[in-house]
Amino acid sequence: MTEQNNVQTLNQFIIQRQAEYPNASGELSRMLHHIGIASKIVNRAVNKAGLVDVLGAHGDQNVQGEDQQKLDIFADTHFIDALRASGECAAIASEEQEDMIIFDDEMGRNAKYVFCMDPLDGSSNIDVNVSIGTIFSIYHRVSKKGELPTKEDFLQEGTKQVAAGYVIYGSSTMLVYSTGNGVNGFTLDPSIGEFCLSHPNIKTPKNGNIYSINEGNYINFPEGVKKFIKYCQEKDSKTSRPYTSRYIGSLVADFHRNLLKGGIFIYPNTSKNSNGKLRLLYECNPVAFIAEQAGGLATDGTQRILEIKPESLHQRVPFYTGSTKMVEKTEEFLHFFN
Ligand code: AHG
Ligand code: MN
Ligand code: MN
Ligand code: MN
């Protein structure tokens, strides 16, 4: 195996990008740097999971009524600590916290960004050695610097994201993020403990042949989704159908695969949950930002995810994301069978 020469680390990349913007003051760079640190701490725990006491239930439930796993809490705590240490974050909204966390010290009050996160995505896969992730999103606060942040800082449309991304703890660990100027992916080299640029300027295929949806919920799906699944399964040589079904059950892992290979991820509204399951602020918006930046789409079936005005921190939305042609095809079915 040949070693790659001229490896660019995440930190070198961040510094280089910052230098390209003469007015950049380094605050976002410092935040990204600290996200990298927290990711490495979570990665270390995930890697040793069976050997240290991080598996299993924590014993509490979060605000959405889900049983919290020890690793949900571990990741939540370490990302909060890292963001506090960056000194650039005024407040955090997390899946595992009912209310926003405000950093009300001098540094926090004067910081200009707020941070949304799903600290550990794919909780059901933690104990069984299947890929899990972290999802994050950064906004400029709309409240005044020097004052305490408010909920309005978080209830901004996804189009206002300054940066967004995810970490996937998979067969290798990757950090994928965008600051609105394309998408770049970094693979953690465990021998040097650095994220190294491995996937520069990721573009997702315009079309794909993978569909990802929890078909166990089929009976509760909208008619258009049922018909789209049937369409994926039919034989047609012109469109290379039938397509392949792939579903891990970790949004990050399912999305990441489809991003690189081409495909669609769907978590629709169902007759049981009229808004689906996934959360707008810290799951759908950051993933939608990456999807669009890579040339794909993300909608709730009719509307662009990034244009939805959030009403609450833990709001859920139906989610359709991936290759442009596949998302458009699904919307045709939804429209027709509405
Ligand atoms: P989380 O573990 O952060 O609560 O998220 C779980 C989400 C997401 O990762 C995944 O796409 C989805 O739940 C899977 O849900 P189902 O088990 O209903 O398919
Ligand atoms: Mn959860
Ligand atoms: Mn999640
Ligand atoms: Mn989670």
Side-chain angles (χ1 to χ4, degrees):
M1 195 181 80
T2 50
E3 287 272 328
Q4 236 180 305
N5 287 324
N6 303 324
V7 174
Q8 191 174 22
T9 68
L10 174 64
N11 287 332
Q12 287 168 336
F13 182 88
I14 292 170
I15 291 165
Q16 186 194 315
R17 276 292 159 101
Q18 191 193 321
E20 287 164 15
Y21 295 91
N23 295 328
S25 50
E27 288 139 313
L28 183 62
S29 302
R30 269 192 291 281
M31 256 179 123
L32 292 167
H33 170 74
H34 280 80
I35 292 167
I37 292 175
S39 307
K40 286 191 247 180
I41 293 171
V42 173
N43 176 68
R44 189 180 57 195
V46 169
N47 270 284
K48 291 196 291 190
L51 302 173
V52 292
D53 189 28
V54 292
L55 292 183
H58 173 73
D60 286 327
Q61 288 195 332
N62 64 17
V63 63
Q64 9 240 330
E66 300 170 338
D67 290 328
Q68 290 176 313
Q69 304 298 304
K70 284 184 193 160
L71 216 47
D72 287 324
I73 305 297
F74 181 90
D76 193 47
T77 307
H78 283 280
F79 270 90
I80 292 170
D81 288 350
L83 268 298
R84 182 187 286 115
S86 78
E88 308 298 350
C89 181
I92 294 181
S94 162
E95 180 196 343
E96 305 307 337
Q97 307 280 341
E98 181 167 0
D99 289 319
M100 56 185 183
I101 294 178
I102 294 178
F103 297 139
D104 61 0
D105 58 347
E106 174 86 22
M107 239 170 19
R109 271 203 309 274
N110 286 308
K112 77 174 180 208
Y113 295 111
V114 295
F115 186 78
C116 303
M117 66 168 165
D118 175 351
L120 207 292
D121 175 65
S123 297
S124 69
N125 286 321
I126 292 173
D127 288 359
V128 290
N129 216 341
V130 174
S131 298
I132 48 183
T134 296
I135 311 175
F136 64 88
S137 164
I138 300 172
Y139 292 84
H140 277 297
R141 60 190 286 192
V142 290
S143 56
K144 279 211 189 78
K145 265 169 100 171
E147 293 176 7
L148 285 182
T150 68
K151 274 226 169 88
E152 295 311 312
D153 293 324
F154 292 101
L155 303 182
Q156 302 190 55
E157 292 90 343
T159 48
K160 308 260 174 63
Q161 288 171 104
V162 173
Y166 58 81
V167 184
I168 174 166
Y169 311 100
S171 46
S172 64
T173 292
M174 275 189 77
L175 191 153
V176 175
Y177 84 99
S178 173
T179 52
N181 185 18
V183 180
N184 291 285
F186 300 80
T187 302
L188 182 63
D189 181 340
S191 65
I192 56 170
E194 294 278 5
F195 283 104
C196 300
L197 182 61
S198 53
H199 296 63
N201 197 20
I202 297 173
K203 291 291 168 210
T204 194
K206 282 284 164 219
N207 208 347
N209 63 2
I210 298 173
Y211 70 103
S212 308
I213 183 166
N214 185 344
E215 280 185 69
N217 297 327
Y218 186 88
I219 199 75
N220 300 316
F221 287 159
E223 200 50 36
V225 173
K226 288 181 177 168
K227 290 286 195 300
F228 176 72
I229 293 174
K230 200 79 225 137
Y231 167 86
C232 292
Q233 296 169 344
E234 281 161 2
K235 194 168 166 55
D236 176 55
S237 53
K238 226 174 102 213
T239 51
S240 305
R241 284 179 287 146
Y243 294 154
T244 295
S245 166
R246 288 279 183 274
Y247 192 75
I248 294 170
S250 297
L251 168 63
V252 163
D254 281 308
F255 174 78
H256 182 71
R257 179 200 52 243
N258 293 359
L259 178 76
L260 298 184
K261 295 201 162 191
I264 184 166
F265 174 92
I266 302 177
Y267 210 109
N269 54 306
T270 63
S271 49
K272 284 194 171 156
N273 299 310
S274 57
N275 292 316
K277 176 180 185 186
L278 300 178
R279 281 65 52 112
L280 176 60
L281 258 63
Y282 42 80
E283 290 180 316
C284 302
N285 263 338
V287 167
F289 192 73
I290 297 291
E292 287 199 4
Q293 284 293 319
L297 287 182
T299 79
D300 68 355
T302 51
Q303 192 187 359
R304 193 176 163 215
I305 289 288
L306 297 181
E307 287 177 1
I308 298 173
K309 173 82 176 98
E311 287 167 2
S312 61
L313 292 186
H314 301 285
Q315 174 177 348
R316 298 172 197 259
V317 284
F319 197 40
Y320 302 78
T321 189
S323 297
T324 301
K325 291 223 163 90
M326 293 184 89
V327 175
E328 284 171 351
K329 191 67 176 173
T330 318
E331 284 186 334
E332 274 175 39
F333 277 94
L334 290 172
H335 189 68
F336 194 78
F337 291 99
N338 194 359

